[in-house]
Amino acid sequence: MAASTMTGISETAKLKVPEIRYESYTLPNGLQVILSEDHRLPIVGVDIWYHVGPMNERAGRTGFAHLFEHMMFEGSKHVGEKAHFKYLEAAGASDINGTTSFDRTNYFETLPSNQLELALWLESDRMGFLLDTLDREKLTNQRDVVRNERRQSIENQPYGLVDEALMHALFPADHPYHADVIGSHADIEAARLEDVREFFKLYYAPNNATIAIAGDFDPAKTKALIEKYFGPIPKGPDVPKVQVTTPPITAEKRLTVTDKVQLPKVLFAWLTPPAFAPGDAEGDAAAYVLGGGKTSRLYQKLVYQQQIAQSVACYNQSQALQSWTTCELVARPGVTPEQLEKAANEVIEEFLQNGPTQAEIERARIVTQSGRIRGLQRVGGFGGIADTLNYYNQYTGDPGYLPKDLARYDALTPQSVQQFAQAHLKQDQRVTVYGVPGPKVVQDVPRSPADTDANVKITPEYSPEFEAAQAWRKTPPQPGPLPRPTLPEPKVFALSNGLKVYLVESHNLPVFSASLVTLGGSEGDSVQKPGVAAFANAMLTEGTASRSSTKIADDADQIGARLAKNASSDLAYVQISALSNVTGPALDLLSDVVLHPAFSDEEIERIRKQRLTSLLQMKDQPVQIAFSVANRAIYGSDSPYGYRSIGTEASLKAITRDDLASFWKARYAPSDSALVFAGDLTEKQARDLAEKYFGSWSAKGAAAQPPAAPAPPQRHVILVDMPGAPQTAIWAAGVGAPRSTPDYAPLNVVNTMLGGLFSSRINMNLREEHGYTYGAFSMFQFLRGPGPFLAGASVRTDVTGPALHELASELERIRTTPLSAEELKMSRDYLIRSVPGDFETVEETAGRMADIFTYNLPLDYYRTYPARIEAVTSEQAAAAALKYIHPENMVFVAVGDKDKIRPQIEKLNLGPIEEWTTDVELVKK
């Protein structure tokens, strides 16, 4: 049995800080190159940073850098229109994106290592040959897409307008950081073709870019390829240096913003030193101590003790021109923003007066440093090795700055953090924003006239001689030899109590993950009291026989561990991820919360209030409402699948301590559980840890059985009214298939091309062809029982009817027009080649092993998965679509402004129209 208290830092071995080996050089045209070999997986990450962002914009042209990021995916001269994603997805890229932050724009892809040349061909072609294909039709389409993104990410998000107002107050109107990165509707719509072309010429030249490549590659061959693809691109003009002085805040700025939200929110923000300047690390530590997690002062005082805040989060946003520290506080029902601010001010003032403790500084240090190291598990993508090298290069000029970065936090003292706080975090230096329930005021503008930019003539960028010399680019490169995926097969053993233990070793980084997974998901809930499974799971980290809720959080932070838990339909888990020098303390903590939960009445009532408030907050989220309504409409009120795992207001109020303790006792037992290890552990360590901390677990229980399939519904439409919503969440929902279906592989192949990829039919139709949405998707939610099939998007309110028509048409077309040979190949290639990307992190690897346990899959499942996908025929894919996708038995849910969308939907004749409330109840006429 686990020890009753933290085994202690005495079990902590000395950590060796990982070294990122890299090589850096610059081409004659100014392109900086950073290379870092990493052969643990047959994948490679390519990451290009263009040193341009809103910091280079001017007033009246906000959002320009972000808009141009979208234009870069529209197709370059030799690649072809809208073909960028198609090439990468067919190659099996597991991570493709472009992002814009205030100081830079980056583009990245993680793909099989034999496809590196493809990535270099694509990235070099859009760097050197975009302008000849950049026309007004593409610009018009992407203006629509970006404005949909703004509606989705700001205007239709709870507090999105409030957060934007904070930035407007923090920086003056002529400051590059004044506007949101995405810009305003007016400025996005004002973008013209000539502006876009001039922007590209100035900022998208090789001398304003850095390419970082990390992963499984041959350096000599890669250097030759970089020279081949990027070397011929001419150097651009020198980029003017940004000269901006941010005026200090010398008196508190206050404002109130209304939004369609359930609860008030209070925001504080202060200007702080730029990224990596003296004081920047102190800003990180101060934000952590004030509001960085459950051990932080604001959380403990306002969320835990006084229970007047639903959530608290403080963070330090480090940027080149100016950083800022922000604290966000969401009130509990019945609490005014004034009450919340007063209580927060007392905490902040005490912090200013007395500073942090040494223990708080130590927690801030280890949490920050372990987070940096865990991020290095990825070769590409956000926070991966290539991204990290580019990040340090952008802000310090030294790609290998990691040891120096970690040393900044070693040097922190309570005195230095207090001095920072007293210099920067006083009340007269801040902006204070109240976000309160009220009208949503959106500054939208009409689309530009149809003939906009019609007279712009596009002239060739290069001489005929140069074009002829580059004609070889028309032929896409052939991939190298296909690497044999080294997909993991777990080592498995069982303890004498029946607990299965799964282990996947990986020793390239000092990180590990341990998860206790049990078949205790919400499928085992009673329909009379839905939400017990998730409530019981939430209580596990809220106190044990020997640890309080606060001590659990404190013990996790002391070792830099991330402790997570969740209960889905099929399973419940508690997971701890940490550096491998703290395996003992981490397992001690994990076992304690799983095996000895206290279920104290005081903590139950606190978490009950939190969950009731979370349920209330879901009414601010149209997509969440749509999913809740879809589940109930498909499965009804007599199936646990008809309820979200959080339950209902009535059930949350009715759940007792006995319900929670009884569920834990019945469902958390070694016979129906697995302990999953992944990362820097040997088999002996895994056996010793499992035996020491879980070997005496003797609970007896039984797994729940999944519900039976419901009768398919007759097609009809459900409207949920959200007056004034700038978008409509439209979703089609039907009964899908269980994870155990023999058609799992064909269904994955079908759905990948229907709505699983950027290049899928639904997304290319609704986003790329019509500009109705920022993104459209479809998915089979494979559960132990027959989970739902869902397809949809968030679309502009004024095109709700046309978008819903296109969605329904695509669902019918997948049945009548089976995947073409090209689509079939692309889907299979993507699914097979992207699999290694599912095992980059220890958390992802543990999740895949948990699936083996939950769904009773063979141990070699992932090794044999590629062959099963490759074997899917056109006939099997067509048969799967006909068998499982039935538009005539789907419910179409639309969450938006009823008065504006109902007339549009009535014209579609999709069936009877019902109206439901945001409480997932039918409106009775």
Side-chain angles (χ1 to χ4, degrees), residues 836-850:
D838 291 341
F839 297 92
E840 278 200 272
T841 70
V842 293
E843 293 89 353
E844 289 169 335
T845 301
R848 302 289 81 75
M849 297 307 110

Side-chain angles (χ1 to χ4, degrees), residues 149-298:
E149 182 181 0
R150 177 181 166 83
R151 294 180 185 104
Q152 183 171 320
S153 61
I154 296 177
E155 295 161 3
N156 217 29
Q157 282 294 315
Y159 311 108
L161 296 172
V162 181
D163 297 342
E164 184 177 41
L166 175 74
M167 297 300 293
H168 291 341
L170 200 56
F171 297 100
D174 60 352
H175 194 287
Y177 294 170
H178 171 80
D180 190 273
V181 168
I182 207 168
S184 68
H185 280 291
D187 287 357
I188 297 166
E189 198 57 49
R192 294 295 176 258
L193 196 54
E194 289 289 7
D195 299 326
V196 173
R197 294 174 68 83
E198 289 304 316
F199 187 90
F200 177 84
K201 290 177 182 178
L202 179 57
Y203 294 113
Y204 275 75
N207 49 298
N208 197 44
T210 304
I211 182 169
I213 301 174
D216 180 35
F217 63 86
D218 178 280
K221 292 179 180 177
T222 300
K223 289 178 184 178
L225 290 172
I226 290 171
E227 176 60 40
K228 172 183 176 180
Y229 285 103
F230 290 93
I233 301 173
K235 181 179 180 179
D238 292 336
V239 175
K241 190 172 179 59
V242 177
Q243 301 288 348
V244 172
T245 301
T246 306
I249 297 173
T250 55
E252 184 183 22
K253 300 179 182 180
R254 303 183 64 89
L255 64 153
T256 298
V257 181
T258 59
D259 199 358
K260 292 276 190 179
V261 292
Q262 303 292 324
L263 302 168
K265 178 178 182 178
V266 176
L267 286 166
F268 306 131
W270 301 263
L271 298 173
T272 54
F276 293 95
D280 181 47
E282 282 77 6
D284 290 341
Y288 171 83
V289 173
L290 281 173
K294 290 178 70 173
T295 61
S296 66
R297 296 190 178 190
L298 286 169

Side-chain angles (χ1 to χ4, degrees), residues 61 89 112 150 154 167 181 231 369 424 435 527 591 613 635 660 663 669 731 764 770 781 787 820 866 884 909:
R61 284 294 181 268
E89 288 172 337
R150 177 181 166 83
I154 296 177
M167 297 300 293
V181 168
Q369 291 179 336
H424 300 284
V527 294
S591 61
T613 304
Y635 295 101
L660 300 173
F663 188 94
W731 286 88
M764 295 304 286
H770 288 100
Q781 188 177 351
S820 67
Y884 293 100
N909 296 317

